[in-house]
Amino acid sequence: MSPLDDKQAAAHTASGNGIRSDLKLIAEMVEPGSRVLDVGCGDGALLAFLSRRKGVDGRGIELSMDGVHQCVAQGLSVIQGDAETDLKDYPPGAFDYVILSQTLQAMREPRTVLETMTRIGRRAIVSVPNFGYWRIRVQLLLTGRMPVTEKLGYQWWETPNIHFCTIKDLVVLAEEMGIRIERCMIVNGAGRVTGHAHSGLANLLGEQGVFLLRRD
Amino acid sequence: MSAPNPAAAVPAAVPAEPATMPGHRVTLGVDRPMRLDSGAELGPFEVAYQTYGALNADRSNAVLICHALTGDHYVLDQHPVTGKPGWWEMLVGPGKPVDTDRYFVICSNVIGGCMGSTGPKETDPATGKPYGLGFPVITIGDMVRAQKLLVEHLGIDQLFCVIGGSMGGMQVLQWAVAYPESVFAAVPIATAARHSAQNIAFHEVGRQAIMADPDWAGGNYLLEGTRPHRGLAVARMAAHITYLSEPALHRKFGRNLQNRQTVTYGFDADFQVESYLRHQGITFVERFDANSYLYITRAMDYFDLAADYGGGTLSNAFRRDGKGTPVRFCLASFSSDWLFPTSESRAIVHALNAVAANVSFVEIRTDKGHDSFLLDEPEFHQVIRGFLDGCAEHRGLTRPSRP
């Protein structure tokens, strides 16, 4: 599994297509037949889905050995490695898409990871849990304690998430880095896609955001 | 293709004569001798090999297995000298990860070896005597060159897969770099793109042990009627330690004493681990030639893909016409392997990433050390099976219907 292991993954209910709802949204952004690198590919669910349904030439990189075993044993091309150290070897434009789902907030240096992703991929697809989501805001406001939600099911002392951000934060960072947001999907608590990344409502109502990024 | 021949499995104190050994033997380099990396020429020369399974109509299902330092081509069948089962029985066979119902498996004894391929103990046609140290120094590249001639002799343009561990893994890498168009998939296991200084050092200990044995007779022991058994046994004992891990040795033997209650205050094999190593040494000399050991360890020492093909940069070795290698790779390392540690495999993975090659990599968690690739490691076997299945799908190899 990815750094956000079972607990968090399990929270993303499997869709009718057998993959998590956020992965399905990511898959929608990928052109058929393209070259894809899935960073933190977990058990390979997205890669398998993309290669079966969209005929992509997929690669993966995954931290946990269990995840890599599962991937390679089902015929996927996956290496055991760390996004923060093992991405830098790839040449510029090696992939059409570099995907990072629900993992950016677990990186020591999210900015560097974003930079690398948009260098080695013509496009990057990043999904992040939105720490500006209204339920999280309410929890912090009312209880005065670090929020624990269904999708972020960790206590503060055990969470792998070290760099939480809001949808708005990511929009601002992308602007600063000269990364264009080509497309964005905001997913609300009911799993429906709403709003626009730049709207304040998205930052309040979105439980997670899925961004299609491209370096200008 | 060939069935094991139990009748030929006669244990012998010295390596059996190739003529009596089961399997195939072909003479290569007849029209034109093979040019070696050293500049010397070899030919005609013999290559002994075994095949398992059947070649399909479009000759696309051939898997070449490359054996390790002291291995041979008896992958599946009983060893004709030791009578032991084939060395990769666990991984290769009907329904096994390298499925002989599906693939045509080839394994040859490396040149420089002593199980039927031309090596220092064979007769030099020029002199009518054993080559001895007159045998040219060979490299991993030369071994693979000979394998390429064998594969061509069998009428195969492209191997579906080349797979091997340790020195076999070096050959796999050499195949993928020297003949990328002739390899669809490559599986280098527990190996490295170059032999490290530490590994060269261990090999030198082994070679010095052999050469320090008076029975080695300057390499002419076959003519002198002696055998450097003691030197070769010591070489094997030292090497064997590097194939294991401290936890594995400890689990197996600890500080347990051998058939006694107390230490003897002498130099008998008081400890079980000593007795075990002595046994490893003694059984090894029955099946291996001392000069072959010198030549093959030297070949490993010289191996350096980055220097030979990449101008010092490993990723350049995997470039072809400005693009990355077309070969699909799967690397595997073992967490307790200190002879070919995971970092060596990872260096290869990084070099392959740098050319955006198609690569899988898994480190298998085990405490059994370097030799794990020969042992019952279900996770490792599962990875090999999955990778080959995936490759077979891409290569369009249909799964045979099993009764």
Side-chain angles (χ1 to χ4, degrees):
Chain A
M1 302 295 289
S2 69
L4 310 189
D5 49 19
D6 327 308
K7 229 175 187 176
Q8 202 148 309
H12 294 265
T13 48
S15 73
N17 278 323
I19 58 168
R20 269 159 38 196
S21 56
D22 64 314
L23 297 183
K24 217 170 118 194
L25 291 179
I26 290 170
E28 276 175 29
M29 291 186 175
V30 174
E31 290 285 326
S34 50
R35 285 165 64 91
V36 172
L37 176 68
D38 187 3
V39 181
C41 60
D43 62 3
L46 177 64
L47 274 178
F49 180 85
L50 286 174
S51 61
R52 252 198 332 270
R53 302 288 180 91
K54 295 211 160 183
V56 308
D57 177 9
R59 316 282 163 78
I61 176 165
E62 168 58 34
L63 199 55
S64 84
M65 288 182 204
D66 289 342
V68 181
H69 289 170
Q70 286 182 53
C71 290
V72 179
Q74 57 178 308
L76 299 168
S77 295
V78 172
I79 63 166
Q80 203 242 325
D82 182 340
E84 301 204 69
T85 53
D86 295 325
L87 285 184
K88 62 179 187 329
D89 299 302
Y90 291 97
F95 300 95
D96 296 314
Y97 301 92
V98 179
I99 297 170
L100 186 71
S101 85
Q102 303 284 321
T103 313
L104 190 65
Q105 72 283 357
M107 297 290 164
R108 284 185 302 277
E109 295 187 44
R111 188 183 168 126
T112 312
V113 170
L114 275 179
E115 244 169 46
T116 310
M117 286 177 68
T118 49
R119 178 182 64 81
I120 66 176
R122 294 195 304 115
R123 288 185 172 83
I125 302 174
V126 176
S127 74
V128 289
N130 176 26
F131 210 68
Y133 182 47
W134 69 271
R135 282 183 185 276
I136 289 179
R137 297 192 200 191
V138 166
Q139 269 199 35
L140 186 58
L141 185 71
L142 293 185
T143 66
R145 296 189 58 202
M146 282 303 282
V148 178
T149 67
E150 191 192 330
K151 290 200 170 140
L152 296 170
Y154 295 96
Q155 294 291 336
W156 63 273
W157 45 267
E158 61 171 359
T159 178
N161 305 313
I162 53 180
H163 283 125
F164 270 126
C165 69
T166 68
I167 285 170
K168 197 168 164 184
D169 286 326
L170 197 71
V171 169
V172 170
L173 178 64
E175 265 168 22
E176 261 180 48
M177 292 175 66
I179 293 172
R180 183 149 40 100
I181 298 175
E182 281 198 339
R183 209 176 150 193
C184 166
M185 295 187 196
I186 305 299
V187 187
N188 68 15
R192 277 194 296 273
V193 178
T194 60
H196 186 268
H198 291 80
S199 85
L201 269 183
N203 201 33
L204 185 66
L205 299 180
E207 192 170 20
Q208 55 176 313
V210 185
F211 298 85
L212 180 65
L213 307 172
R214 176 177 210 164
R215 179 97 57 157
D216 274 331
Chain B
M1 296 283 282
S2 66
N5 181 0
V10 184
V14 293
E17 283 308 304
T20 67
M21 291 203 197
H24 314 275
R25 202 166 182 225
V26 62
T27 308
L28 299 167
V30 179
D31 301 336
R32 198 157 49 102
M34 186 173 74
R35 185 153 177 96
L36 303 174
D37 281 333
S38 68
E41 292 192 329
L42 185 68
F45 63 92
E46 312 277 320
V47 170
Y49 66 100
Q50 281 288 42
T51 66
Y52 311 90
L55 191 60
N56 63 6
D58 59 356
R59 296 165 183 262
S60 60
N61 70 334
V63 172
L64 179 73
I65 293 179
C66 301
H67 69 72
L69 168 54
T70 65
D72 50 49
H73 49 301
Y74 299 108
V75 174
L76 263 194
D77 33 356
Q78 195 182 39
H79 195 281
V81 178
T82 64
K84 284 187 179 165
W87 59 270
W88 231 2
E89 242 198 356
M90 283 190 197
L91 198 76
V92 184
K96 300 277 173 70
V98 183
D99 189 346
T100 50
D101 287 342
R102 190 175 195 187
Y103 308 119
F104 175 62
V105 171
I106 309 161
C107 184
S108 67
N109 185 219
V110 296
I111 57 162
C114 55
M115 288 298 286
S117 291
T118 294
K121 90 173 167 66
E122 302 297 320
T123 304
D124 180 352
T127 64
K129 292 177 189 165
Y131 278 103
L133 293 193
F135 192 73
V137 168
I138 46 142
T139 63
I140 299 291
D142 295 331
M143 294 174 180
V144 167
R145 219 161 274 141
Q147 288 167 352
K148 180 76 163 65
L149 290 176
L150 169 66
V151 167
E152 284 169 5
H153 163 81
L154 295 172
I156 296 160
D157 293 331
Q158 192 197 44
L159 292 163
F160 167 63
C161 179
V162 186
I163 178 171
S166 198
M167 183 182 85
M170 289 177 167
Q171 293 165 51
V172 173
L173 293 168
Q174 177 75 26
W175 261 99
V177 167
Y179 310 110
E181 65 290 339
S182 303
V183 179
F184 183 77
V187 184
I189 302 156
T191 192
R194 87 240 184 298
H195 215 220
S196 70
Q198 189 184 41
N199 291 358
I200 296 170
F202 280 120
H203 275 175
E204 178 61 1
V205 170
R207 284 190 294 262
Q208 288 300 326
I210 290 166
M211 294 191 281
D213 186 332
D215 286 337
W216 182 61
N220 289 322
Y221 51 86
L222 289 175
L223 287 173
E224 305 280 328
T226 58
R227 293 292 164 92
H229 281 167
R230 286 164 296 174
L232 183 57
V234 171
R236 175 62 169 183
M237 287 167 75
H240 198 81
I241 299 168
T242 70
Y243 303 152
L244 307 174
S245 68
E246 204 282 326
L249 269 181
H250 182 79
R251 187 177 54 236
K252 217 165 172 179
F253 307 109
R255 289 180 52 87
N256 297 340
L257 301 179
Q258 179 74 26
N259 303 329
R260 63 201 64 183
Q261 300 303 314
T262 57
V263 297
T264 61
Y265 297 100
F267 296 102
D268 280 347
D270 277 0
F271 296 100
Q272 282 177 7
V273 65
E274 294 174 307
S275 174
Y276 166 77
L277 279 182
R278 289 180 188 195
H279 172 76
Q280 287 294 332
I282 290 163
T283 53
F284 182 62
V285 301
E286 287 174 9
R287 67 175 178 91
F288 217 80
D289 176 67
N291 282 339
S292 269
Y293 197 86
L294 302 183
Y295 278 91
I296 297 177
T297 54
R298 206 64 184 142
M300 290 179 77
D301 292 352
Y302 284 149
F303 187 65
D304 186 347
L305 269 188
D308 294 347
Y309 289 88
T313 306
L314 186 56
S315 58
N316 288 341
F318 295 114
R319 243 180 263 278
R320 201 72 170 182
D321 308 325
K323 286 194 305 202
T325 172
V327 180
R328 306 171 76 91
F329 279 85
C330 179
L331 290 96
S333 68
F334 299 94
S335 55
S336 52
D337 183 350
W338 55 279
L339 194 61
F340 290 91
T342 292
S343 56
E344 299 279 2
S345 288
R346 209 174 273 285
I348 300 167
V349 171
H350 287 174
L352 286 165
N353 285 349
V355 298
N358 196 313
V359 51
S360 294
F361 164 62
V362 187
E363 181 190 55
I364 307 293
R365 265 167 306 204
T366 172
D367 71 351
K368 292 181 194 141
H370 180 62
D371 262 358
S372 297
F373 74 96
L374 300 170
L375 305 174
D376 184 19
E377 289 288 346
E379 271 190 326
F380 166 55
H381 295 175
Q382 198 189 329
V383 161
I384 299 297
R385 184 191 292 276
F387 176 74
L388 288 181
D389 281 355
C391 286
E393 204 173 302
H394 281 279
R395 185 67 184 84
L397 289 181
T398 49
R399 192 181 291 277
S401 51
R402 302 196 65 186

